[in-house]
Amino acid sequence: MTRWLNEEEQATWQSYIRMRQRLEAAIAAGLARDGLSASDYEVLVALSGAGGQLRAKELGAEICWDKSRLSKHLSRMAARGLVDRCQAADDARGREIRLTDQGREALETAAPNHVELVRRLFIEDMTDTEAEALRSLADRVVPRAERTDVPGIG
């Protein structure tokens, strides 16, 4: 038997959905002003955080993208000079994705505006207690979501 959300639970879920959608739209618009999509930025941040390169499989796992989406997006990014796709040194079938100088420059150009927008839209209105509660909630929800049988997750 399905346990439907009660009125308060439904209101909480819908508030979260609206917040996520509006934040994602605002963040995407901010990044677009700097010539990047939100997906570009996500890939560039993951590569930068990993020292500039990752195996394609590791990159996909890091950003929770399936192989097809990752491959198509990396092709577009490579065509724009943001990343290089190279054969892995230790595996003839494996691919390494490398952040190019142009990709690093694009990330460094977009990052200050992105961080300021995140701060203004999300961080500034949150008290320390609320921030701690949000981190605590995320620390409980994320592992459960990663264990689900959903393509591209976990």
Side-chain angles (χ1 to χ4, degrees):
M1 178 173 192
T2 300
R3 278 183 44 208
W4 297 105
L5 299 178
N6 66 34
E7 197 171 313
E8 279 189 26
E9 292 168 336
Q10 182 67 12
T12 300
W13 179 245
Q14 290 302 315
S15 291
Y16 164 75
I17 295 295
R18 278 191 307 280
M19 179 185 70
R20 183 184 55 80
Q21 289 170 334
R22 299 323 186 270
L23 281 172
E24 286 177 0
I27 295 298
L31 289 168
R33 286 190 291 271
D34 288 318
L36 294 175
S37 70
S39 295
D40 293 338
Y41 193 80
E42 192 171 359
V43 169
L44 294 175
V45 166
L47 289 172
S48 178
Q53 74 181 44
L54 278 170
R55 293 185 62 109
K57 185 175 184 175
E58 294 168 340
L59 177 59
E62 175 71 21
I63 60 177
C64 296
W65 288 10
D66 65 45
K67 186 176 178 178
S68 176
R69 177 183 181 191
L70 182 65
S71 179
K72 289 175 185 173
H73 195 78
L74 290 175
S75 291
R76 290 189 294 270
M77 290 181 75
R80 292 171 38 223
L82 300 173
V83 298
D84 282 330
R85 299 166 108 175
C86 310
Q87 184 173 333
D90 61 341
D91 180 2
R93 294 182 305 149
R95 304 294 284 168
E96 285 189 349
I97 312 305
R98 293 190 185 135
L99 183 61
T100 63
D101 290 342
Q102 187 174 339
R104 187 171 304 284
E105 184 178 314
L107 179 60
E108 290 172 355
T109 297
N113 294 331
H114 174 72
V115 169
E116 181 56 35
L117 187 58
V118 168
R119 180 175 303 287
R120 185 167 46 86
L121 295 177
F122 189 69
I123 300 296
E124 285 180 353
D125 287 333
M126 201 179 320
T127 67
D128 291 344
T129 302
E130 290 167 332
E132 185 178 332
L134 180 59
R135 287 190 304 272
S136 176
L137 176 62
D139 289 346
R140 291 189 313 272
V141 171
V142 168
R144 280 196 309 265
E146 289 176 340
R147 289 191 301 265
T148 63
D149 189 22
V150 177
I153 308 263

